[in-house]
Amino acid sequence: MILEIFGERAQTREGVLQVALAHLTYQRSRLVRSWTHLERQRGGAGFLGGPGERQIEADRRVLAGKIDRLKAQLEEVRRTRTLQRAKRSKAPQPVVALVGYTNAGKSTLFNRLTGAEVMSADLLFATLDPTMRKVDLPSGTRVILSDTVGFISDLPTTLVAAFRATLEEVLEADVILHVRDVAHEETDAQRADVLSVLGELGVHDEDGRRVIEVWNKADLLPSADRDVLSSTARTRADDARGTLEDPIPVLASALTGEGLDTLFAEIERLLTAEHRTRSVALPPGEGAALSWLHERTDVVSAETTDDGGVVVTVRLGAKESGQFQERFGYAFATAEEAHRGRKRA
């Protein structure tokens, strides 16, 4: 049934390939069990087995060939996606990935945050194909928001493997938004299932990704329950470490927009938590480097030196610092060190 639903929802070539691979892998496992009685037939003479044995082997070879071809095509998709991620890692925008149990409201939240029109409905697995959009936070910080396939309890290993190319977007995320349907009676069990699948994918607390738990569908809660959860979220947010096991909670409703200002603020806080104030001394004629800093960092000051150069002080993270040094060859230092460097030059 899950595979039939997947087949109806897949839209892109990648989604279709992933569903086809999962379907064939499932058929192969069913084939082995359903043909067991024929494997015991030993008709014929000499080296020839019975007709049943020949048929099952032929069917296995056909399925194996189709599976190998699909895997090769998906591997090409995977390589392409890896190249795309490599390009994004050199881009200034951090990646924010939405994950969650199926029908938790990820696509509705994605549409609310981006103004996109990704399919969102009260359906299982409404999203199978990865979708990415640029989003400007209220402060002007630009991020890339990624929607992903929903999870279910006891997600078959074959499905995890087939959809790995899509789910690997989570591995490259700077911030993970775990969207939960807090109005669902099984919300805690669904949370455990999502964490289990993320663990299978290789997402762990020690990787350094920051996690926000979006307690979605607040509009469906009775007012008393909503007040309790709102108070709990505010209290826990102050002390939460922002990890998978200890995420920062935000009570929200993707449908009405409730809590999204708080969500934006938490995303920005996590993305800038590691930012430091550093300076760099640029010689005359480095207009491109100066423009890059103005576009992609928070410029605190820019002081012109006697020789026509400039000492620029900015707030930025390690990612932007590395990108700037790789592109222009100038390293950041403290303000005093940068000024001393200009004087020596």
Side-chain angles (χ1 to χ4, degrees), residues 210-276:
R210 291 293 168 254
V211 182
I212 297 174
E213 227 175 53
V214 183
W215 293 355
N216 192 31
K217 302 193 181 182
D219 56 294
L220 299 182
L221 293 171
S223 58
D225 292 345
R226 185 190 305 189
D227 291 342
V228 171
L229 279 181
S230 179
S231 176
T232 301
R234 287 195 302 269
T235 302
R236 286 177 50 181
D238 293 337
D239 300 322
R241 293 182 292 119
T243 63
L244 283 173
E245 292 297 335
D246 187 22
I248 297 169
V250 175
L251 183 65
S253 169
L255 192 62
T256 66
E258 175 187 345
L260 296 192
D261 288 344
T262 302
L263 177 58
F264 274 131
E266 291 293 353
I267 293 173
E268 188 131 39
R269 182 170 70 85
L270 290 181
L271 290 175
T272 60
E274 304 299 325
H275 284 197
R276 297 290 181 268

Side-chain angles (χ1 to χ4, degrees), residues 5-19 117-120 123 125-131 163 166:
I5 295 173
F6 273 34
E8 291 180 5
R9 303 281 188 267
Q11 299 294 321
T12 66
R13 177 174 177 271
E14 178 182 353
V16 171
L17 286 173
Q18 289 172 143
V19 172
E117 295 182 355
V118 173
M119 177 184 176
S120 61
L123 297 170
F125 310 110
T127 300
L128 283 186
D129 305 303
T131 308
F163 283 83
T166 298

Side-chain angles (χ1 to χ4, degrees), residues 19 30 65 68 77 83 106 157 191 196 207 261 266 293 318 333:
V19 172
R30 295 282 294 174
D68 288 343
V77 169
L83 290 174
K106 295 184 305 303
T157 304
R191 175 182 186 272
S196 175
D207 297 335
D261 288 344
E266 291 293 353
L293 292 174

